[in-house]
Amino acid sequence: MADGEKQVVSSLNRGLLILEALIESDTLGVSELSRMLSINKTTVFRLLSTLVARGFAEKDPETSKYRLSAKFNRPRFQALDDVRLRELSRPFVEKLTHLTGESTGLCMLSGNSGVLIDNCISSQMITAKLTIGMDEPLHCTSLGKALLSAQPEPERERLIRATSLFVMTPNTISDENAFREEIDRTAREGAAWDDEEYSLGMRCIAAPVFTVTGMPVASIGISGPLSRVNESTRRALTQIVKSVAAELSQTLEI
């Protein structure tokens, strides 16, 4: 292999290492990546700049740290302009974490499941780890339930029939009748509740997000430990989640 070809392969390898690091972490800065990967800062910055230019990474203007963009998961998001949605939603994702102190996730429908397209991680010692690109099953996550409950009746029925009620914890809903009742309740109340159904030790609350024309496009919600998200805080936290979801919905003209 010629020296030039070796250099190209080396650069590609380093770029892939950066992508892998960003997949595993929420946000990372140039110095952090340099230390983690043993690559000098100048090279890291150059590779990150290339990833940003090609739309595979984003730079937070406030922290100067980087994270994956939704384009990295493009095959899963082809149906909607997720980049535009993330831009419009970002202030509300951050606001929800600020108001509740819990990690916030923004979710979109992808096939027969939900997928997380943005997050804001709580600074609390014990918190939920929400990773962009992770699945949010429709039957055992609040984000998934909120998404499903907002769908028009024909689509909701199709998704209910297509959903595999696999068990994640002893609390996971695995009966179709119970699942239907849960989605009906969620639709009536305008918010979904996950009581350790996806992950033991964590509870979640989410609400659907609509465009100004009333089309459901996403769900937004919080995740936190039992000590903070419980029956005594549920009502207040639910009202905050629903309020922020409604505010976000009023801004969406996509």
Side-chain angles (χ1 to χ4, degrees):
M1 182 182 293
D3 289 343
E5 291 174 312
K6 289 180 181 179
Q7 184 176 355
V8 170
V9 172
S10 177
S11 296
L12 175 59
N13 182 62
R14 290 173 177 177
L16 292 174
L17 287 174
I18 289 175
L19 284 177
E20 289 175 351
L22 292 175
I23 289 172
E24 293 297 323
S25 302
D26 182 30
T27 59
L28 291 169
V30 172
S31 296
E32 293 170 291
L33 283 164
S34 177
R35 287 195 304 270
M36 289 171 59
L37 305 176
S38 299
I39 303 173
N40 69 67
K41 292 182 182 180
T42 301
T43 301
V44 170
F45 178 79
R46 177 171 54 81
L47 291 170
L48 282 169
S49 297
T50 301
L51 291 172
V52 170
R54 294 301 305 271
F56 288 100
E58 297 173 344
K59 183 179 180 180
D60 188 322
E62 295 184 0
T63 65
S64 295
K65 291 190 175 184
Y66 295 79
R67 63 179 180 176
L68 290 180
S69 75
K71 183 179 179 180
F72 187 72
N73 296 305
R74 175 56 57 187
R76 310 184 70 177
F77 306 141
Q78 288 179 347
L80 290 170
D81 186 358
D82 50 279
V83 174
R84 176 66 171 154
L85 177 60
R86 289 181 70 186
E87 290 175 352
L88 294 170
S89 302
R90 186 64 195 172
F92 298 92
V93 172
E94 294 175 345
K95 179 178 181 178
L96 190 51
T97 289
H98 174 73
L99 291 175
T100 64
E102 304 299 344
S103 294
T104 296
L106 182 71
C107 182
M108 287 178 64
L109 195 63
S110 177
N112 296 330
S113 182
V115 64
L116 201 74
I117 65 166
D118 202 3
N119 62 6
C120 183
I121 304 301
S122 168
S123 60
Q124 303 257 22
M125 184 72 69
I126 301 174
T127 189
K129 181 65 174 177
L130 304 176
T131 305
I132 292 175
M134 71 184 293
D135 287 327
E136 296 289 334
L138 301 182
H139 70 297
C140 63
T141 66
S142 63
L143 287 167
K145 292 178 190 178
L147 267 179
L148 178 55
S149 71
Q151 300 303 311
E153 187 57 42
E155 178 64 5
R156 186 195 301 183
E157 179 62 24
R158 183 192 71 78
L159 288 169
I160 288 175
R161 292 179 178 276
T163 299
S164 174
L165 304 180
F166 53 87
V167 175
M168 295 292 291
T169 77
N171 288 3
T172 301
I173 297 173
S174 57
D175 176 78
E176 185 174 322
N177 289 330
F179 180 36
R180 289 178 182 276
E181 291 176 2
E182 177 72 359
I183 298 306
D184 288 343
R185 182 198 62 77
T186 298
R188 288 194 305 272
E189 298 182 1
W193 172 254
D194 164 10
D195 184 11
E196 297 185 272
E197 297 164 46
Y198 181 78
S199 178
L200 289 176
M202 289 289 166
R203 289 194 179 110
C204 313
I205 304 171
V209 175
F210 303 87
T211 66
V212 291
T213 61
M215 181 181 73
V217 291
S219 59
I220 189 171
I222 60 169
S223 300
L226 308 185
S227 59
R228 298 195 302 265
V229 183
N230 48 53
E231 289 299 335
S232 65
T233 61
R234 178 176 177 175
R235 182 185 295 273
L237 289 174
T238 298
Q239 286 304 117
I240 294 173
V241 171
K242 290 174 65 175
S243 176
V244 172
E247 290 177 22
L248 173 54
S249 297
Q250 292 173 4
T251 71
L252 297 184
E253 299 179 357
I254 58 176

